[in-house]
Amino acid sequence: METNGQNLSRALADAVILIPSLEPDERLPAYIQKLADSGFGHLVVVDDGSPESYQEIFRRIEGIDPRVKVLHHEVNRGKGVALKTGYRWIRENLPEISGVITADADGQHTVPDCVHLAEELENGRRALYLGSRDFSLDHVPPKSRTGNRLTSVLFFLLYGKWLQDTQTGLRAFRREDLDFMIGVEGERFEYEMNVLIACARSRLPMIPITIETVYENENRGTHYHPLKDSLRIFRVIVGGFVRFMGVSILCFLVDQALFNLFNIAVFHNQETRLAGYILGATAIARTASACLNFLLNKSVVFRLKGHTGGALWKYLVLAVMIMGLSAAGVSLLGAVGMSPTIAKLIVDFLLYFLSFQAQQKWVFAEPAGSERESR
């Protein structure tokens, strides 16, 4: 029977640490040495186009231990590309590993925290493990505290999952999800947010693991640009919802245009403009706009690959459910004295967010762990 120490040794030997790095300082060789000393079986560092003056550091890193591999980009391509370069090399060269742990090169992620994630991987549960920092601590820079809280709130509203730390670089996942991670879009810091959105859509569990909150010198050594990269991440979070709103507005306009076209141009005779004809014009316009809404949500908003049939019946079921919930909600609020007009505005506004989440997590969701190779 294996002891706890033997289990831990196996967990470390079976895991691979992946670190993307741009223009590292002396902290990185020391960090790699500590990780190697702790027993990790594989360490992969991706040099994301650092100038020649930094290559001596990478040569020293690769000479620390035979378990260390350094990959190079000729030019800077971004953190997302660097991670995927590492993922592809791991997929092709390390078939026996249990999973991958990504860490940053700036000293924020301690060796004990990396060991903790390796233990989680060894448990075998298929999930994305997220090293979660405590942003309420006094030494956290205000810009980091504010930025993470804002993205946490937005992510919860739009994707239905509360994550205290949405921008953590310390993550772990099982080997079988390498293709899934490679297929997520994004080249720079926004890639990591895209991963969270992809996991939410594909129902791959995201499990926060409490880690030490480390900010050295107020995190001045990071290559994260607060304004530029924050805007890029913000666009990633709200981008899908903005497209969803745009499609909704377009389909509303199509519905109104077709109704008026049939009601006025076709049924222009005043004597024949009866309720049946009005109903016919409404049905034609609503059917056409609904078909357009389905196709645009599938291809433009949620970008579902593969067959349409399964998504179509789910879409129809959801539409019926939304109508039923709308009627029930308005009736309930009306029963307590609220104006039906106000009640419908409130209920339909809330149901709009519910519809967005239901469509991304159910109607147009990718199967858990499905891969979409990025270009």
Side-chain angles (χ1 to χ4, degrees):
M1 184 174 180
E2 290 187 336
T3 65
N4 289 336
Q6 289 173 323
N7 287 335
L8 177 57
S9 296
R10 186 179 62 187
L12 297 176
D14 289 347
V16 54
I17 296 282
L18 173 61
I19 301 176
S21 178
L22 173 65
E23 301 177 359
D25 57 27
E26 291 297 328
R27 291 176 296 179
L28 184 56
Y31 185 46
I32 297 295
Q33 183 68 66
K34 290 178 182 177
L35 289 168
D37 291 343
S38 70
F40 278 99
H42 308 278
L43 298 103
V44 178
V45 177
V46 181
D47 164 25
D48 188 25
S50 301
E52 181 60 34
S53 56
Y54 291 88
Q55 295 309 306
E56 190 273 334
I57 292 178
F58 288 109
R59 286 190 288 270
R60 279 197 283 129
I61 288 172
E62 195 159 29
I64 288 173
D65 191 279
R67 293 168 291 172
V68 181
K69 175 67 177 179
V70 178
L71 308 174
H72 297 274
H73 288 165
E74 292 185 3
V75 296
N76 176 247
R77 300 177 63 189
K79 186 177 184 181
V81 178
L83 287 170
K84 284 185 269 191
T85 293
Y87 295 156
R88 291 188 178 95
W89 187 89
I90 292 166
R91 181 181 63 183
E92 294 165 7
N93 295 276
L94 302 175
E96 303 301 326
I97 63 164
S98 61
V100 179
I101 301 168
T102 65
D104 291 341
D106 57 6
Q108 285 198 42
H109 304 136
T110 68
V111 173
D113 286 332
C114 293
V115 170
H116 189 182
L117 264 65
E119 292 178 294
E120 295 291 344
L121 286 177
E122 191 66 19
N123 291 333
R125 181 178 178 184
R126 193 173 183 182
L128 176 65
Y129 299 93
L130 300 167
S132 183
R133 296 163 289 182
D134 184 356
F135 291 98
S136 66
L137 300 176
D138 292 338
H139 69 280
V140 175
K143 65 179 181 181
S144 297
R145 180 184 298 114
T146 302
N148 274 277
R149 284 177 177 171
L150 176 61
T151 54
S152 293
V153 170
L154 286 174
F155 194 85
F156 175 73
L157 289 175
L158 298 180
Y159 301 100
K161 174 71 175 179
W162 176 260
L163 298 173
Q164 179 171 302
D165 190 352
T166 59
Q167 297 180 30
T168 178
L170 184 61
R171 304 178 176 198
F173 56 88
R174 299 283 300 176
R175 189 189 192 283
E176 51 262 42
D177 287 316
L178 271 170
D179 286 336
F180 175 75
M181 297 298 173
I182 293 171
V184 175
E185 296 180 351
E187 296 184 351
R188 298 191 178 274
F189 285 101
E190 80 280 1
Y191 167 77
E192 292 176 309
M193 184 60 67
N194 275 331
V195 167
L196 302 185
I197 294 172
C199 288
R201 286 195 55 207
S202 66
R203 301 185 299 279
L204 185 67
M206 292 177 281
I207 302 176
I209 304 294
T210 301
I211 63 172
E212 186 177 351
T213 306
V214 178
Y215 280 93
E216 295 186 0
N217 195 26
E218 293 195 344
N219 209 26
R220 291 194 179 98
T222 182
H223 292 281
Y224 181 89
H225 298 284
L227 179 59
K228 182 173 65 175
D229 289 316
S230 293
L231 288 174
R232 186 180 284 117
I233 290 171
F234 180 79
R235 286 199 299 268
V236 167
I237 296 177
V238 303
F241 187 69
V242 169
R243 291 193 299 271
F244 184 73
M245 290 179 59
V247 167
S248 298
I249 293 171
L250 174 63
C251 292
F252 170 78
L253 295 175
V254 169
D255 178 80
Q256 294 297 308
L258 289 176
F259 173 82
N260 285 288
L261 174 65
F262 282 97
N263 192 42
I264 296 174
V266 178
F267 308 125
H268 58 278
N269 189 325
Q270 183 69 31
E271 295 180 358
T272 62
R273 197 181 299 160
L274 305 175
Y277 293 104
I278 298 294
L279 179 61
T282 300
I284 293 171
R286 186 58 51 86
T287 300
S289 63
C291 290
L292 179 63
N293 183 264
F294 171 80
L295 292 173
L296 290 178
N297 280 346
K298 174 182 179 293
S299 59
V300 176
V301 179
F302 302 109
R303 299 171 182 172
L304 177 68
K305 309 298 181 183
H307 300 293
T308 298
L312 180 57
W313 74 261
K314 292 178 183 178
Y315 180 85
L316 295 174
V317 169
L318 178 63
V320 173
M321 290 176 59
I322 291 295
M323 285 191 292
L325 289 172
S326 177
V330 172
S331 298
L332 182 62
L333 292 178
V336 297
M338 183 176 290
S339 162
T341 300
I342 301 296
K344 184 168 177 58
L345 285 173
I346 294 174
V347 170
D348 286 355
F349 177 78
L350 296 175
L351 288 176
Y352 191 71
F353 284 91
L354 175 65
S355 176
F356 175 73
Q357 292 200 24
Q359 288 189 50
Q360 70 177 342
K361 291 184 177 181
W362 182 53
V363 178
F364 300 109
E366 298 282 358
S370 65
E371 65 269 12
R372 291 178 295 171
E373 184 71 18
S374 59
R375 299 177 207 176

